[in-house]
Amino acid sequence: FTLGASNNNNDHTLASVMYVAGGTVKCGQHLYFGNYNSANTIDNFTIAGGYFNIYYVTPYGNTNPIFLNMNGGQMEFSSFYSSALLRPGAVFYMNFNGGTWHPTTGANATLSAGTNRVSRLTVYEKGLTFDSDGFNNSTLETTFQSAPGKGVWSVPLPEEVRTKRLIGAPTVTIAGDGAGASAVALFDSRKGVVTNVVVTSHGWNYTTATASFRFRECLACDDVTCGLQDNVRGKLTFVSPVNGRTMTLKTIDGGTNGFAGVCVKSGKLIAGTAGAIPEGVELNLEGGTLDMKANALVFDSLSGTGGTLQGTATDGKLVVTTTNPGTGLKGVTFKDTAGT
């Protein structure tokens, strides 16, 4: 399955946009972004609902940012394939603002940023849910970041675009003094009209932003001013409907994750590195187990209705520090890492 793989070596900009709002797509193969020879393609993949199954995500990259946005629904894949053909200087953003990711491997479910991989993984307000159902001992290796400052939250639909009869949707491109924002124009093929513009990634650090609407290299109208709002950090939720499934969360190169909180509903989540669950986040236990190992148990607030919190005991005591009391842990069992 390919977005933007045309062998385009000229100055024209080709657009490859896919917006999944429902239904089921089963590919079972790679999802390719870009082509080493496609310098100018615009690649924007968003799942906002439904179910999408692939094997690997393989970014080749190009001179325009590539977006893979998960805003709802369910997406199933094993890892990002490290491609030696990644274009030098390519930018590949993966953004999470809702939805569920199912790893399809029981060994190393790699979702990592770095050389030949993703430039940045950003968690927004609605967060991300990991469901390890069916695969035991998965390792999620990544460093998530929050989105600082303001992001693009709305893009107006220009009258010149709304009232035109078209054969396809225009490409929406956002420019400004921030980065990471993307949007798509929703198109009614039966009526030949654009019905709405959906922001698929808010981006970060914007104080001003405009959106352009283009058909190939032609401007459809004058640029419009985007609406900005403060970004909100999101949480990670871990579930495993199959009893006893384990997932280990690690960070890359000593990094620290930037999400706002962790919710464990079932299964066992292990903090495999010091920054995997950063200090000062919210902790919510609704079942299952969070094993902090020897990492500091320092949270902003605690809440929960069940489950187990583990960590390395000192002098026979498990010390948990909170900045704010939260609603407290009710029905939660405390154990040291050895299980006592």
Side-chain angles (χ1 to χ4, degrees):
F1 195 91
T2 302
L3 288 178
S6 170
N7 289 315
N8 173 43
N9 289 304
N10 53 39
D11 292 331
H12 296 289
T13 299
L14 302 180
S16 298
V17 179
M18 185 171 185
Y19 185 81
V20 180
T24 298
V25 179
K26 287 191 175 183
C27 178
Q29 296 295 322
H30 293 245
L31 173 61
Y32 293 98
F33 283 91
N35 180 300
Y36 197 81
N37 295 321
S38 301
N40 299 315
T41 63
I42 297 173
D43 305 323
N44 186 336
F45 175 91
T46 300
I47 179 169
Y51 171 85
F52 196 91
N53 167 269
I54 51 177
Y55 183 50
Y56 278 126
V57 174
T58 304
Y60 285 113
N62 52 58
T63 54
N64 291 302
I66 298 172
F67 295 91
L68 196 162
N69 307 307
M70 184 179 293
N71 298 337
Q74 301 181 58
M75 196 166 184
E76 188 174 88
F77 63 90
S78 61
S79 68
F80 285 96
Y81 184 74
S82 180
S83 171
L85 296 177
L86 184 68
R87 180 182 290 275
V91 177
F92 188 6
Y93 295 131
M94 189 163 187
N95 303 293
F96 306 99
N97 197 20
T100 299
W101 175 50
H102 295 268
T104 56
T105 177
N108 187 15
T110 304
L111 188 63
S112 59
T115 304
N116 292 337
R117 293 187 184 273
V118 182
S119 306
R120 179 185 173 104
L121 298 111
T122 306
V123 181
Y124 292 95
E125 181 178 14
K126 295 180 182 178
L128 176 64
T129 296
F130 294 94
D131 186 344
S132 61
D133 184 12
F135 293 92
N136 194 21
N137 299 321
S138 292
T139 297
L140 178 63
E141 187 178 29
T142 187
T143 300
F144 291 101
Q145 298 186 56
S146 60
K150 294 183 181 294
V152 173
W153 285 65
S154 64
V155 176
L157 177 59
E159 186 73 8
E160 302 96 310
V161 175
R162 186 185 64 81
T163 57
K164 285 182 179 179
R165 297 278 293 181
L166 307 171
I167 61 172
T171 301
V172 183
T173 304
I174 296 175
D177 55 359
S182 64
V184 298
L186 300 187
F187 182 71
D188 187 334
S189 58
R190 295 171 298 177
K191 297 180 179 180
V193 295
V194 176
T195 59
N196 193 17
V197 181
V198 176
V199 174
T200 53
S201 172
H202 296 307
W204 50 87
N205 287 334
Y206 284 95
T207 61
T208 180
T210 58
S212 61
F213 294 75
R214 286 180 168 83
F215 301 97
R216 294 293 294 264
E217 68 272 20
C218 300
L219 273 174
C221 61
D222 293 335
D223 291 353
V224 297
T225 301
C226 302
L228 305 180
Q229 290 186 30
D230 290 332
N231 285 317
V232 179
R233 291 198 304 164
K235 300 178 182 180
L236 300 187
T237 299
F238 294 85
V239 298
S240 181
V242 178
N243 189 34
R245 299 296 190 193
T246 297
M247 176 174 280
T248 300
L249 180 62
K250 294 182 177 181
T251 55
I252 302 295
D253 298 328
T256 298
N257 278 320
F259 47 77
V262 172
C263 176
V264 181
K265 293 188 175 183
S266 56
K268 184 176 184 178
L269 175 63
I270 299 173
T273 55
I277 299 178
E279 294 187 11
V281 302
E282 298 176 18
L283 173 63
N284 178 245
L285 284 174
E286 298 181 10
T289 298
L290 172 61
D291 190 348
M292 293 291 295
K293 297 294 185 183
N295 302 306
L297 295 170
V298 180
F299 302 99
D300 175 69
S301 62
L302 301 174
S303 61
T305 56
T308 300
L309 179 61
Q310 289 186 199
T312 299
T314 302
D315 297 329
K317 296 180 180 181
L318 182 63
V319 180
V320 182
T321 304
T322 63
T323 306
N324 300 297
T327 59
L329 298 174
K330 301 177 181 178
V332 174
T333 300
F334 288 83
K335 294 182 179 180
D336 73 3
T337 300
T340 59

